[in-house]
Amino acid sequence: MKNNKINNALAYGAFFAAALLVGGGILAGDFTRYARNHSASNDKIQAREVQASLYAYAKTLEASDNARDLAVSAFLQVSNKPRDNPEQAFVVSQEEIDLLKKALVLGQNDATLAWFEAMDCGWMSAACDKDAALIRLGNLEPDNAAVEFLHLNKAHAIGNTEASWQAIERGGQKKYFRLPIDAIGAMYYQSLRNWHSPVTLDPKDVFGKNTKDLRPVSQDEYRKITAFGFSIAIAIPALQDYSVYCRPAPTNVSHLKICQQFTGKLAAGDSMLLQGMGTRMGTELFLQSPEKEQWQARRNQHQWQ
């Protein structure tokens, strides 16, 4: 699934609309036309040209002394190297693993890179120590409830129910809930600062045939599209484990309170995805509470946004 997302995003940002949905503040600027209907081009030749260009650019980033540039270089190389069959799984070389390891060592105090590693580095897991990164991430973002999602996923995967509830409880006590979507998108965008797309696209091919904004797609827009595409493909941890414990509403009073507190943080998250998930869960968890009408109003308001 990740491979397909990356391939489309690299070519024309097919997942750009989804990126806008989950991360509203990756970059500053006017994105009004990006929110319109999007249809990806089917021109495979142009897609290969873009991928070849990104691969060549990624090789130039190897000379950087910036940890983020090196990490982006490693991921771009793996996902854009020539393949006979576009559906073929990514093949990761030892050189690419070593490059990412170098980036992670240089960026020990970088929370964005810690998120990468704590989520097992996608298809480059051999470069990562996700358990150590999760501890480091907790120190770098001690007030972020989203970090507890990773602890929840880890505990649930091994069937540790007690640790799962502890993670949800800790999350409810944090100050905010922020996934790394914006941060990872910004990292890719910054590292792509000198990349120039080799293709010129009709705005209707990118933003939908009904768009009225016919300005040519600029190089900066290509970079933003690519950055958003990578972000949406990489930066979201598994969210479904939370529902296992909090849906339907627990009959245990203590567990219900824990779920309510965590859901409050989720509903106040920094993306429409989180807000939608949180308000939907909140209407169920507070159904027998004096706050019932408040949550129903929040849910209705979100649906009309």
Side-chain angles (χ1 to χ4, degrees):
M1 184 62 178
K2 284 183 178 178
N3 289 6
N4 291 337
K5 282 185 177 182
I6 288 290
N7 290 338
N8 288 335
L10 286 175
Y12 311 107
F15 286 83
F16 195 80
L20 283 173
L21 176 67
V22 297
I26 296 180
L27 308 165
D30 176 13
F31 298 110
T32 53
R33 69 171 172 165
Y34 297 163
R36 298 172 184 157
N37 292 332
H38 171 81
S39 58
S41 168
N42 291 319
D43 192 331
K44 295 181 180 180
I45 295 176
Q46 287 189 330
R48 286 196 294 269
E49 290 178 359
V50 172
Q51 289 187 311
S53 174
L54 281 166
Y55 181 78
Y57 178 77
K59 296 295 287 185
T60 70
L61 288 178
E62 287 184 351
S64 175
D65 59 0
N66 181 288
R68 292 185 170 197
D69 283 349
L70 296 179
V72 170
S73 174
F75 277 95
L76 286 177
Q77 287 186 50
V78 171
S79 55
N80 289 282
K81 69 177 63 174
R83 300 194 303 280
D84 294 333
N85 179 3
E87 299 302 319
Q88 175 187 345
F90 294 147
V91 177
V92 184
S93 70
Q94 187 59 49
E95 290 77 11
E96 291 153 352
I97 291 295
D98 292 341
L99 181 61
L100 182 55
K101 284 184 176 180
K102 179 180 178 181
L104 295 173
V105 170
L106 287 174
Q108 282 289 301
N109 295 319
D110 188 317
T112 301
L113 292 179
W115 268 104
F116 256 134
E117 190 171 10
M119 292 190 292
D120 209 20
C121 295
W123 53 89
M124 298 185 72
S125 58
C128 296
D129 182 345
K130 65 178 182 180
D131 291 335
L134 183 53
I135 294 173
R136 189 167 73 254
L137 179 60
N139 292 329
L140 292 169
E141 295 191 355
D143 297 322
N144 188 358
V147 176
E148 296 303 328
F149 242 126
L150 300 184
H151 284 287
L152 169 61
N153 293 343
K154 178 182 177 181
H156 182 69
I158 60 175
N160 190 332
T161 302
E162 181 179 0
S164 296
W165 279 112
Q166 289 173 349
I168 299 172
E169 183 174 19
R170 288 194 304 269
Q173 297 167 355
K174 303 293 185 178
K175 293 182 179 179
Y176 62 88
F177 195 110
R178 182 184 303 140
L179 290 175
I181 301 166
D182 289 1
I184 289 177
M187 181 180 75
Y188 268 94
Y189 175 65
Q190 292 158 6
S191 292
L192 287 167
R193 58 193 172 273
N194 294 319
W195 174 65
H196 297 278
S197 173
V199 303
T200 301
L201 298 178
D202 186 321
K204 291 184 178 181
D205 287 336
V206 181
F207 304 114
K209 64 181 181 180
N210 294 321
T211 183
K212 293 181 174 60
D213 189 340
L214 299 179
R215 289 174 296 165
V217 179
S218 70
Q219 288 294 334
D220 196 50
E221 287 175 323
Y222 281 120
R223 296 182 191 111
K224 290 174 182 178
I225 288 169
T226 302
F228 273 126
F230 268 105
S231 182
I232 196 65
I234 294 174
I236 303 180
L239 303 176
Q240 65 270 19
D241 291 346
Y242 160 62
S243 299
V244 173
Y245 297 90
C246 294
R247 191 177 193 185
T251 55
N252 179 290
V253 175
S254 176
H255 286 171
L256 177 61
K257 183 178 180 180
I258 289 172
C259 287
Q260 288 174 335
Q261 290 178 327
F262 188 84
T263 298
K265 294 295 187 300
L266 189 65
D270 64 338
S271 74
M272 292 178 66
L273 173 67
L274 299 178
Q275 293 163 14
M277 184 177 181
T279 54
R280 183 176 64 253
M281 294 286 286
T283 56
E284 299 175 10
L285 292 170
F286 288 88
L287 191 60
Q288 306 301 325
S289 164
E291 300 174 62
K292 170 185 175 181
E293 292 185 1
Q294 175 187 338
W295 277 94
Q296 288 177 336
R298 290 180 67 176
R299 175 62 174 160
N300 293 338
Q301 181 180 8
H302 177 79
Q303 288 178 323
W304 282 102
Q305 287 179 342

